[in-house]
Amino acid sequence: MEIATRIVEHIHKGHRKALIVMATGTGKTRVAMAIIDQLMREGRVQKVLFLTDRISLRKQAYDKGFMRFFKEEGKEVILSGNYNPEKRLYVSTIQTFQEIYTQKDISGRYIISPGTFDLVFSDEAHRSIYSKWKGIFTYLDAIQIGLTATPADMVERDTFRFFECDDGIPTALYSYEDAVRDGVLCDFRKNVSGARTHFQIEGIKPKDLTEGEREELLKKGIDPDEFNFEGSELEKKVAVKGTSEAIVREFMDNCLTDQTGNLPAKTVFFAISQTHARRLSEAFEKLYPEYKGQLARVIVSEDSRAQQLIKDFETKSFPRIAISVDMMDTGIDVPEVCNLVFAKPVFSKIKFWQMLGRGTRADEACEHREWLPDGKKEYFKVFDFWNNFEYWNMNPEGVKNESPEAITNRIFLSRLKQLGELMERRDPVSIKAAEQVKTKIIADIESLPKDSVNVREHLQDVEKALSPKLWDNIAVDPIEFLQKKIMPLMKFKPDVNLKEATFTLRCEKLAYALLENDKAEIDRLKTSIAEMVDRLPRTLDSVRAREALMDNVLSRSFWETVSFEDVQVLLSDLAPLMPYMTKEPRETIVIDMSDIIAERKEWQLFKGTEPDYVQAYYLEIEARIKELAETHPSIRKLKNNEHLTDYDLEQLEETLFTSSFNRENTQSSDLYPSGRASLVDFIRQVLGLSSSPSPDALIKNAFQNYIKENNKHYSADQLNFILTLQTVFLRKKHVEYSTLWQPPFTNFGTTAPSPMFSQEELNSFIDICKGVEKDLFM
């Protein structure tokens, strides 16, 4: 409520852009709907466009947003070639909208003008505003609001600049820490279990092979005495079936289970590759045949049933475990997920955080109680089989990613660098090579879509770049001109195949490294280029025709003498084949050997975990209460829902807190911070008798009801004050009322030049506090 109010106030002040950063699972879609509702009621907006970069997010925005909150409004999902101008609310993937917004009607006018929409949302804005998609937001003259679940400190500075957050602070922020504090999200940081198998740690050496495996390798033409792989190469170049089985067994032995205690709670496994996912699935079937293959399912984008499998995972008891490659890293909302399994290394900080977000939804969002441990979700557990948490502890910023510039921009820049280097040389070989590079640069420029609104604005520069006079004009440096004026347009180049473009970029970088004699860069690039070549399927005729060249590229001798001319052959003969490249290296060597868990560790990522002695004390008290349940008169009264007198409470305390359970002992001092009423609540919980709201629930309900009744009268800062007061009360379970006029509230209180609240309103907060205290302590 505060977030939506803050954004509306921001727009009232004349701003046209805003950025909302909210932790995964805290309700970005609902906040967006609240903003839409308020601005439509004010008559400030008529048409709204909600853009996502994934189909699953589009479905979520439509089903859980427009369909739920705007049942009577005209709304539509924009599909390819489809736009009905009669609606008010639209949702589309940004890829589909990219095709539509430049289309023209029969009279030659654009079917979507810059002023068509009054309000545009960009979901996962940190991804959507880059590459050619940025042109959409430049074209549309509307209020633009970005939404992202990526923590603010991970959002690119360019994203802040685009949404006019010049100070690097989002317009509105609701962090993971805030959400955990408020009970909106679960905290994982006390529940991370690390484990690695023998082969993950030691790798696979010739001495590890059985005679049977040695014979199998010889049949495949592999020398077993040269069989030497590091643990980091598992599931990339070599796979051990026993490793997958050890991981599955470790998970099943230690996972959070459902209410019966027999089945795993809902779980997401993050696998390295599709074949790895299948091996994990096979391990579940082999080790736990009683579930007849229903326990775990592989969910990958290449499967035509993927969306149905996701729906089954969300809504049905089985499968309990979703094994996925990339597809379920983000955008999937299953609140009941209580286990996350990292069966892969993750080197992207944003991606790692998004993956963790699959489990953060709190108990309140869960509908299927029978899938949860003891019927409730108090936390979720993370299994880390690749030392990801150790990596992030040592490398908090992660691997530095390449520039966010579009890949076509980077290819063009690499060619410009080559041309600049070659033009400085005067030998015939360099002059000839320069002409080759210039030809590719001109072809790049000619491929730009001249009718695109983004390119049309710069047609004069494009025409100048294509003129032969550019290269003979002493007043203009052609390389500098092309880099400054034309390179930014390359992101609008149509029909780009990512695999082919990636291979091309690596080869163009290699060509420049060869000109610069940069041996370190050459060594870095040769491996990635060779890996892509190795993934070309030789069963295809077009690939088989280049088999000799491929074998040469994969040999050591090729890289010992590689030249600039060799790279041009790679670009002309192999780059066009890259669209056929498989996702995984061909002929991964599979070893059918057993493996064992060789290392276990528990990660504590922040202070606050209760010491073992506190947990033990809880268990001891619980056991004592259960023992007395049938004999102690006060506990029998509780079971019969009878009123307890002061005498009953004194007798109960005297019985429980004997010399074995000293009430003054520091071990128990935090058990019952609110006095006798909390002791009674605790006993009720132990005996399964508690049906009344918890103290925290009473506090939250009191403040939330007040906000619901009065939110229209308050600004975002005032709402923030009320929520801060709620937080203080939650932590202390009571409030010294004089502190309403002390820090941290003096910024908002009566000492300010313009008081945020009147004395009457402050008194109303006191009444709330007193009312809750009465419920808690009477």
Side-chain angles (χ1 to χ4, degrees):
M1 203 168 292
E2 180 203 339
I3 297 290
T5 302
R6 191 172 297 281
I7 295 299
V8 171
E9 288 175 358
H10 185 70
I11 293 168
H12 286 170
K13 293 174 183 176
H15 298 284
R16 302 275 291 170
K17 291 189 178 184
L19 178 63
I20 300 173
V21 177
M22 295 179 67
T24 298
T26 55
K28 294 195 305 297
T29 302
R30 186 167 184 173
V31 165
M33 298 305 117
I35 293 169
I36 293 169
D37 181 62
Q38 182 62 33
L39 294 178
M40 290 180 83
R41 287 175 184 274
E42 294 176 2
R44 194 176 290 263
V45 303
Q46 297 298 318
K47 287 198 173 189
V48 179
L49 172 65
F50 196 104
L51 291 172
T52 74
D53 66 344
R54 299 195 179 187
I55 293 174
S56 59
L57 294 175
R58 181 188 71 188
K59 178 176 174 57
Q60 180 176 298
Y62 190 79
D63 293 348
K64 298 182 180 180
F66 291 161
M67 289 295 291
R68 180 179 176 186
F69 296 101
F70 297 97
K71 294 179 181 178
E72 306 303 321
E73 291 289 353
K75 46 193 167 291
E76 180 176 70
V77 177
I78 298 177
L79 302 174
S80 184
N82 165 46
Y83 172 70
N84 180 353
E86 303 302 318
K87 307 294 184 180
R88 293 191 73 186
L89 304 173
Y90 301 84
V91 62
S92 173
T93 62
I94 199 164
Q95 295 89 337
T96 297
F97 197 78
Q98 174 74 22
E99 301 171 5
I100 289 179
Y101 88 104
T102 55
Q103 289 181 0
K104 299 178 181 178
D105 59 21
I106 54 176
S107 63
R109 292 180 301 181
Y110 287 101
I111 62 173
I112 296 175
S113 73
T116 295
F117 302 103
D118 306 297
L119 175 62
V120 177
F121 282 90
S122 170
D123 200 10
E124 298 300 339
H126 65 281
R127 295 195 299 253
S128 300
I129 66 162
Y130 292 116
S131 189
K132 59 186 178 182
W133 298 331
K134 189 173 182 178
I136 293 173
F137 301 100
T138 304
Y139 176 75
L140 296 174
D141 182 19
I143 297 169
Q144 297 179 2
I145 299 175
L147 302 170
T148 182
T150 300
D153 62 338
M154 301 183 201
V155 177
E156 292 279 351
R157 283 192 292 271
D158 286 346
T159 305
F160 287 114
R161 281 197 294 270
F162 183 83
F163 289 102
E164 297 177 358
C165 301
D166 298 327
D167 52 3
I169 300 173
T171 317
L173 170 66
Y174 191 55
S175 69
Y176 178 68
E177 287 72 19
D178 292 336
V180 168
R181 178 202 67 200
D182 296 341
V184 176
L185 295 183
C186 281
D187 202 343
F188 68 91
R189 291 171 292 188
K190 299 180 185 179
N191 307 286
V192 180
S193 296
R196 288 195 299 167
T197 70
H198 168 77
F199 289 130
Q200 282 181 300
I201 297 169
E202 301 295 335
I204 307 174
K205 314 299 179 188
K207 63 181 176 60
D208 298 315
L209 300 172
T210 64
E211 285 302 317
E213 286 299 332
R214 291 177 69 88
E215 289 180 12
E216 288 297 319
L217 290 172
L218 285 169
K219 289 177 184 178
K220 297 175 183 178
I222 300 171
D223 184 352
D225 291 323
E226 293 185 3
F227 196 82
N228 197 330
F229 294 95
E230 298 298 322
S232 59
E233 295 178 299
L234 282 176
E235 293 301 337
K236 296 177 182 177
K237 295 182 179 180
V238 64
V240 179
K241 289 185 177 181
T243 302
S244 295
E245 292 171 7
I247 288 172
V248 165
R249 192 181 301 114
E250 179 75 4
F251 162 75
M252 289 292 284
D253 288 346
N254 298 284
C255 67
L256 293 180
T257 58
D258 67 2
Q259 196 165 13
T260 68
N262 297 325
L263 284 167
K266 287 286 183 175
T267 302
V268 177
F269 258 75
F270 301 113
I272 293 172
S273 63
Q274 289 190 44
T275 53
H276 182 217
R278 286 192 288 272
R279 270 189 281 276
L280 288 166
S281 177
E282 289 165 4
F284 275 107
E285 292 182 17
K286 176 183 175 180
L287 297 172
Y288 305 97
E290 63 269 28
Y291 297 112
K292 300 178 181 179
Q294 300 301 307
L295 186 64
R297 287 290 179 84
V298 174
I299 303 178
V300 292
S301 57
E302 285 73 13
D303 191 333
S304 60
R305 303 167 301 158
Q307 292 302 322
Q308 183 59 48
L309 289 172
I310 290 174
K311 186 175 181 181
D312 290 347
F313 181 67
E314 291 177 344
T315 60
K316 297 181 180 179
S317 181
F318 288 91
R320 286 301 174 93
I321 300 154
I323 308 173
S324 186
V325 184
D326 297 331
M327 190 170 187
M328 299 188 73
D329 294 356
T330 183
I332 304 300
D333 183 19
V334 184
E336 291 83 2
V337 167
C338 292
N339 301 296
L340 295 180
V341 182
F342 285 84
K344 64 181 287 185
V346 184
F347 301 113
S348 164
K349 189 174 184 179
I350 290 177
K351 188 172 184 179
F352 186 59
W353 191 256
Q354 289 174 331
M355 292 161 81
L356 288 169
R358 297 314 98 209
T360 56
R361 293 299 298 273
D363 181 77
E364 189 175 300
C366 299
E367 297 180 6
H368 302 277
R369 298 280 150 192
E370 67 277 14
W371 300 349
L372 303 174
D374 295 323
K376 56 184 179 295
K377 183 177 179 181
E378 296 179 335
Y379 64 95
F380 70 101
K381 190 167 186 178
V382 178
F383 294 83
D384 181 11
F385 290 99
W386 278 94
N387 264 2
N388 286 294
F389 285 90
E390 183 172 295
Y391 170 81
W392 288 108
N393 186 49
M394 299 299 295
N395 303 276
E397 296 305 315
V399 174
K400 294 296 182 183
N401 293 325
E402 288 189 314
S403 164
E405 288 283 356
I407 195 167
T408 43
N409 294 44
R410 286 179 273 157
I411 291 171
F412 193 76
L413 179 60
S414 291
R415 288 170 174 167
L416 289 179
K417 288 180 177 179
Q418 293 172 38
L419 184 58
E421 177 66 28
L422 291 166
M423 287 174 67
E424 291 182 1
R425 304 180 184 185
R426 300 298 180 186
D427 60 282
V429 174
S430 296
I431 293 172
K432 181 180 178 182
E435 288 301 315
Q436 283 181 293
V437 177
K438 188 189 295 184
T439 299
K440 289 191 287 186
I441 289 172
I442 292 172
D444 283 338
I445 301 170
E446 288 176 337
S447 71
L448 290 171
K450 308 299 189 300
D451 289 335
S452 167
V453 62
N454 302 292
V455 178
R456 198 169 62 240
E457 296 173 351
H458 305 279
L459 273 182
Q460 189 174 351
D461 290 331
V462 173
E463 290 170 359
K464 184 175 181 179
L466 291 173
S467 171
K469 295 179 181 179
L470 174 68
W471 304 97
D472 196 39
N473 187 341
I474 61 172
V476 178
D477 181 338
I479 304 297
E480 184 180 331
F481 172 81
L482 292 173
Q483 182 174 344
K484 184 177 179 181
K485 298 292 186 179
I486 304 302
M487 189 185 79
L489 302 179
M490 283 296 137
K491 62 186 171 187
F492 303 115
K493 190 174 180 179
D495 304 321
V496 176
N497 180 275
L498 182 59
K499 295 176 182 177
E500 182 176 353
T502 300
F503 184 80
T504 299
L505 176 61
R506 291 175 180 176
C507 287
E508 295 293 8
K509 284 186 170 183
L510 175 63
Y512 183 63
L514 287 165
L515 291 176
E516 293 285 292
N517 196 28
D518 186 343
K519 293 182 180 179
E521 181 72 350
I522 294 168
D523 285 340
R524 187 184 72 83
L525 289 165
K526 71 180 182 183
T527 302
S528 59
I529 291 171
E531 284 179 351
M532 293 188 75
V533 172
D534 198 32
R535 295 186 184 190
L536 288 173
R538 302 192 181 206
T539 53
L540 297 177
D541 290 341
S542 55
V543 175
R544 195 181 301 116
R546 303 295 183 189
E547 199 161 20
L549 173 59
M550 290 165 57
D551 287 339
N552 189 28
V553 173
L554 294 173
S555 68
R556 296 182 186 277
S557 59
F558 174 84
W559 294 100
E560 290 171 357
T561 60
V562 65
S563 65
F564 185 87
E565 291 72 22
D566 291 330
V567 177
Q568 308 314 306
V569 175
L570 296 182
L571 287 165
S572 61
D573 292 7
L574 295 185
L577 301 177
M578 286 301 151
Y580 305 120
M581 184 185 76
T582 61
K583 281 195 170 184
E584 300 166 31
R586 63 189 182 95
E587 297 181 10
T588 299
I589 303 169
V590 180
I591 306 296
D592 191 358
M593 294 193 304
S594 62
D595 197 358
I596 60 169
I597 296 295
E599 175 186 275
R600 291 183 177 90
K601 63 180 71 172
E602 296 294 323
W603 285 97
Q604 183 175 320
L605 303 183
F606 74 117
K607 294 180 180 180
T609 303
E610 288 177 335
D612 291 340
Y613 65 76
V614 174
Q615 292 289 349
Y617 192 83
Y618 269 105
L619 294 174
E620 204 170 351
I621 288 282
E622 286 185 15
R624 180 66 170 148
I625 291 170
K626 290 177 179 177
E627 182 184 328
L628 296 170
E630 298 302 325
T631 59
H632 197 284
S634 297
I635 297 180
R636 291 177 65 181
K637 275 191 173 183
L638 275 177
K639 291 182 70 174
N640 295 327
N641 201 27
E642 297 176 22
H643 178 70
L644 294 185
T645 66
D646 286 343
Y647 176 77
D648 293 328
L649 288 170
E650 288 170 3
Q651 290 297 306
L652 186 56
E653 287 182 334
E654 185 177 341
T655 303
L656 285 177
F657 298 102
T658 60
S659 57
S660 299
F661 300 104
N662 183 358
R663 182 67 186 265
E664 301 302 321
N665 192 305
T666 55
Q667 295 178 357
S668 61
S669 59
D670 291 331
L671 278 175
Y672 320 111
S674 303
R676 291 177 171 180
S678 288
L679 172 58
V680 171
D681 285 340
F682 178 70
I683 295 171
R684 285 183 176 277
Q685 288 178 354
V686 170
L687 298 177
L689 302 174
S690 180
S691 59
S692 59
S694 67
D696 283 5
L698 284 171
I699 294 168
K700 285 184 180 180
N701 287 340
F703 281 95
Q704 293 302 318
N705 288 337
Y706 182 85
I707 290 173
K708 287 176 183 177
E709 293 170 4
N710 299 279
N711 76 86
K712 292 182 180 179
H713 305 301
Y714 292 135
S715 68
D717 285 336
Q718 288 174 313
L719 289 170
N720 180 263
F721 170 92
I722 300 170
L723 292 172
T724 302
L725 180 59
Q726 173 187 299
T727 301
V728 172
F729 206 164
L730 280 169
R731 287 175 178 170
K732 297 183 177 180
K733 299 295 190 296
H734 68 87
V735 172
E736 294 294 338
Y737 304 125
S738 61
T739 63
L740 288 176
W741 293 269
Q742 304 296 326
F745 305 119
T746 47
N747 292 332
F748 310 112
T750 55
T751 59
S754 300
M756 180 166 289
F757 293 104
S758 66
Q759 183 64 51
E760 182 180 353
E761 287 172 316
L762 287 170
N763 288 338
S764 71
F765 301 147
I766 292 174
D767 289 340
I768 295 175
C769 299
K770 287 181 177 178
V772 175
E773 286 187 334
K774 183 178 179 182
D775 289 336
L776 287 176
F777 309 129
M778 67 179 296

